[in-house]
Amino acid sequence: MPDHRAVPARADCVLRALVDRHAAEMPDKPFVVLQDGGRLTYGALRDEVRSAARGLQDLGVSQGDPVLVWLPNGIDGLRLWFAINYIGAVYVPINTAYRGGILEHVVRNSGAKLMIAHGGLVERLAGTDTAALETLVVLHGSPAPVGGLAVLPAERLVGAGDVLPLERPIEPWDTQSIIYTSGTTGPSKGVLSSYAHLFAMGNALIADGEGVPFLGRDDCFMVNLPMFHVGGTAPSYAMLVKGGAIALLEAFDTASFWTTVKETGTTSVILLGVMATFLVKQPAIPGERETPLKHVIIIPLTAEGVAFRERFGTDTHTLFNMSEVSCPLIAELNPAVVATCGRPRKGVEVRLVDAHDCAVAPGEIGELIIRTDSPWALNHGYNGDAAATARAWRNGWFHTGDAFRIDGAGNYFFVDRFKDSIRRRGENVSSFEVEMEVCSHAAIREAAAVAVPSQFGEDDILVAVSLVEAQSFDPAELLAFLTPRMAHFMVPRYIRVVDELPKTPTRKVEKYLIRQQGVTEDTWDREAAGIVVKREKLTS
């Protein structure tokens, strides 16, 4: 068992050491498995990474320099991430959906002089203030002039000769990456992550709350979440640490999911948001339990997530994580309590506090704050934003900005982002809990609950929903479904059907847009329909 109070050794957590060791010990073992049947062994990975690393050095990249990578999931993106870290530079991925102001903000905030981008994205840089950026290397496309940048072909990333010596050894506490948050309420923040932080996150992702791993060298983790997100980087790093494999996909696809699991030998996967719901709501197919998939990490744990195990015969896991932390809450194997995030894992201390960092009373909702036994197991700030860093890291704890509650058994439950809280009829309502119940209806694919102004003060509740394909839908029927399942003050007044919920480039719902639109002409109003939901009267 690892000592959770110590910083991991270089040989155990620094990417360069891991790549070199695995290539020496098992050069013919696959690290990457592709949908088309392609394989990349540890030996070949090291050769490609070292070639690209020398190419980066020839372009002037030095240890500690940030390098922007604007590529979709694939071998190129993985190879360049590893090459950047191999020479001790800082990997700074950009969401492939970014454009306009958010793209300009990330480029400027990163301070990078070099960007590596897919040819299909480069035109978005036109008219953008690229700040310190000097050089652009284009993959999968012909280089074309972009402002005052030196635009180079992909061949420049193939170095001739061995990797040049580093100024000093790469340390566990060195900055490994800058991952940008979604920025739903303001500019995206660049999370500073060390090798020790990513190591802690990856290890916790594939282990129980005591730190005992459920995956190892013989496993293959399907990576269908983007590499510009910890959902893609953490499992990739976890399997690198273990000497296992990843099945690298560009994105999640419901229709091809089970075929891909079988063809790639996938034994584990993260199902984020509604992915598990999509799969559970698909018609049954022959042999759907006869796959190599053994472990599924479902975040958040919905009713469909609980049903996933019974239908598909896998073990299920759930946890709470964000870019800044390292899976501080982990549930027991095969959790049955819907919406639980689990309990603090070994080596992590958490508290629920009020606005002044004082602990809330048992049963009350408070902000989750975190600290760890091991140095560097959490983020070390926000890039170029000292004020945001100070706000998050006050009084010696990292403040998540998330509201949680704890039950009598010690299970933690995510309630809401504080900015999304709803106050109705003197009660605090969790938009997350409303959405969980709404999504239990067979016709609902996704839901977002928001507060809208009430004529009586405080809030009324509006739920925007998108529908499962080919499902009929009656708002009054949904209301009848919800009324016995939730407290009367949680039952929505307004229901609005949309084709798709608005989302950030990292696929988080932009609730502020739904709030801004408010009660539109096509919104159904239960009070206008003559439906009244009242508190149940009890007799003594």
Side-chain angles (χ1 to χ4, degrees):
M1 295 286 290
D3 183 353
H4 293 278
R5 297 166 297 177
V7 178
R10 283 190 209 129
D12 295 327
C13 76
V14 170
L15 181 142
R16 180 172 179 142
L18 293 166
V19 169
D20 285 347
R21 185 174 82 238
H22 294 327
E25 293 177 352
M26 45 185 184
D28 298 326
K29 185 182 187 300
F31 174 60
V32 182
V33 183
L34 301 175
Q35 283 178 286
D36 62 6
R39 301 284 191 273
L40 184 67
T41 66
Y42 275 101
L45 173 72
R46 180 178 183 271
D47 291 343
E48 292 200 17
V49 166
R50 287 178 63 85
S51 174
R54 176 57 192 264
L56 289 166
Q57 289 178 323
D58 290 342
L59 290 172
V61 178
S62 299
Q63 191 167 358
D65 288 347
V67 179
L68 289 162
V69 177
W70 201 15
L71 297 170
N73 278 18
I75 290 291
D76 284 330
L78 184 78
R79 171 174 59 90
L80 290 164
W81 160 20
F82 281 24
I84 291 165
N85 283 168
Y86 197 87
I87 57 174
V90 181
Y91 172 61
V92 190
I94 304 180
N95 192 308
T96 53
Y98 279 3
R99 59 178 72 234
I102 190 170
L103 172 62
E104 182 172 299
H105 165 71
V106 167
V107 172
R108 291 178 60 82
N109 180 264
S110 73
K113 295 181 179 180
L114 173 68
M115 173 190 280
I116 304 163
H118 190 283
L121 301 173
V122 170
E123 64 179 14
R124 299 185 197 172
L125 291 169
T128 298
D129 181 358
T130 53
L133 202 61
E134 297 174 356
T135 305
L136 173 67
V137 181
V138 179
L139 277 63
H140 309 291
S142 300
V146 179
L149 303 181
V151 183
L152 306 175
E155 290 75 17
R156 293 295 298 272
L157 291 171
V158 179
D162 204 353
V163 177
L164 300 174
L166 300 181
E167 296 177 4
R168 59 172 178 80
I170 302 169
E171 300 290 0
W173 44 83
D174 286 345
T175 302
Q176 175 268 332
S177 63
I178 303 173
I179 302 287
Y180 283 87
T181 61
S182 297
T184 54
T185 58
S188 295
K189 297 190 289 291
V191 179
L192 295 168
S193 181
S194 66
Y195 293 92
H197 176 207
L198 188 56
F199 173 85
M201 188 188 301
N203 273 357
L205 180 72
I206 61 168
D208 64 18
E210 293 298 310
V212 179
F214 55 80
L215 297 181
R217 182 168 291 196
D218 296 329
D219 286 292
C220 180
F221 203 117
M222 180 186 287
V223 177
N224 54 25
L225 297 173
M227 290 291 187
F228 53 73
H229 187 279
V230 295
T233 55
S236 299
Y237 214 78
M239 299 317 288
L240 177 67
V241 169
K242 294 297 181 185
I246 61 172
L248 185 56
L249 280 62
E250 187 167 345
F252 170 82
D253 177 64
T254 305
S256 63
F257 178 81
W258 291 112
T259 299
T260 304
V261 164
K262 293 177 181 179
E263 291 178 348
T264 59
T266 290
T267 60
S268 184
V269 68
I270 297 172
L271 296 179
L272 198 63
V274 294
M275 292 177 181
T277 301
F278 288 169
L279 293 170
V280 169
K281 291 188 176 182
Q282 289 289 300
I285 59 173
E288 64 183 16
R289 290 172 63 93
E290 300 169 5
T291 77
L293 191 63
K294 297 184 295 184
H295 297 276
V296 181
I297 302 166
I298 300 175
I299 309 169
L301 185 68
T302 60
E304 288 81 10
V306 174
F308 192 98
R309 175 180 179 244
E310 182 64 28
R311 175 169 172 181
F312 298 115
T314 67
D315 280 332
T316 55
H317 311 259
T318 195
L319 50 85
F320 169 75
N321 195 39
M322 55 196 301
S323 302
E324 292 93 330
V325 298
S326 50
C327 307
L329 302 174
I330 298 176
E332 72 280 5
L333 180 66
N334 299 318
V337 180
V338 171
T340 183
C341 297
R343 303 178 183 187
R345 67 172 173 85
K346 186 174 182 180
V348 170
E349 186 178 357
V350 307
R351 297 174 66 212
L352 300 185
V353 300
D354 62 17
H356 304 288
D357 284 358
C358 298
V360 299
E364 291 187 359
I365 293 170
E367 182 182 8
L368 182 74
I369 62 174
I370 303 166
R371 64 185 180 189
T372 59
D373 291 349
S374 175
W376 302 98
L378 302 177
N379 76 91
H380 52 279
Y382 295 112
N383 191 54
D385 197 338
T389 300
R391 285 194 302 271
W393 278 106
R394 63 184 185 272
N395 291 329
W397 296 73
F398 178 74
H399 292 64
T400 64
D402 289 339
F404 273 75
R405 62 179 175 83
I406 185 172
D407 69 10
N411 296 306
Y412 284 74
F413 295 82
F414 173 81
V415 175
D416 236 325
R417 293 293 293 172
F418 272 109
K419 67 180 183 296
D420 291 332
S421 61
I422 302 170
R423 181 77 174 173
R424 186 167 188 269
R425 305 295 191 267
E427 300 280 359
N428 291 315
V429 177
S430 163
S431 67
F432 176 76
E433 292 175 345
V434 172
E435 292 155 7
M436 291 275 284
E437 295 295 347
V438 172
C439 287
S440 297
H441 190 281
I444 305 301
R445 184 178 63 174
E446 291 185 276
V450 301
V452 293
S454 167
Q455 66 190 87
F456 302 109
E458 294 191 336
D459 303 318
D460 273 321
I461 301 172
L462 180 150
V463 176
V465 300
S466 65
L467 305 180
V468 175
E469 189 175 352
Q471 287 280 345
S472 59
F473 179 71
D474 178 2
E477 193 278 326
L478 173 62
L479 203 72
F481 172 82
L482 294 174
T483 300
R485 298 171 67 96
M486 56 174 54
H488 70 283
F489 57 82
M490 296 174 65
V491 177
R493 173 177 175 179
Y494 300 105
I495 299 172
R496 181 182 172 205
V497 179
V498 297
D499 292 335
E500 294 285 344
L501 298 179
K503 293 185 176 71
T504 69
T506 50
R507 306 302 296 167
K508 292 185 179 179
V509 176
E510 294 180 302
K511 289 189 177 180
Y512 77 94
L513 292 177
I514 299 171
R515 279 192 288 266
Q516 285 178 0
Q517 293 164 354
V519 181
T520 58
E521 291 184 2
D522 61 346
T523 300
W524 182 84
D525 178 2
R526 66 172 164 86
E527 292 192 5
I531 300 174
V532 178
V533 179
K534 294 183 177 180
R535 181 193 303 269
E536 182 181 359
K537 292 185 178 180
L538 302 177
T539 58
S540 58

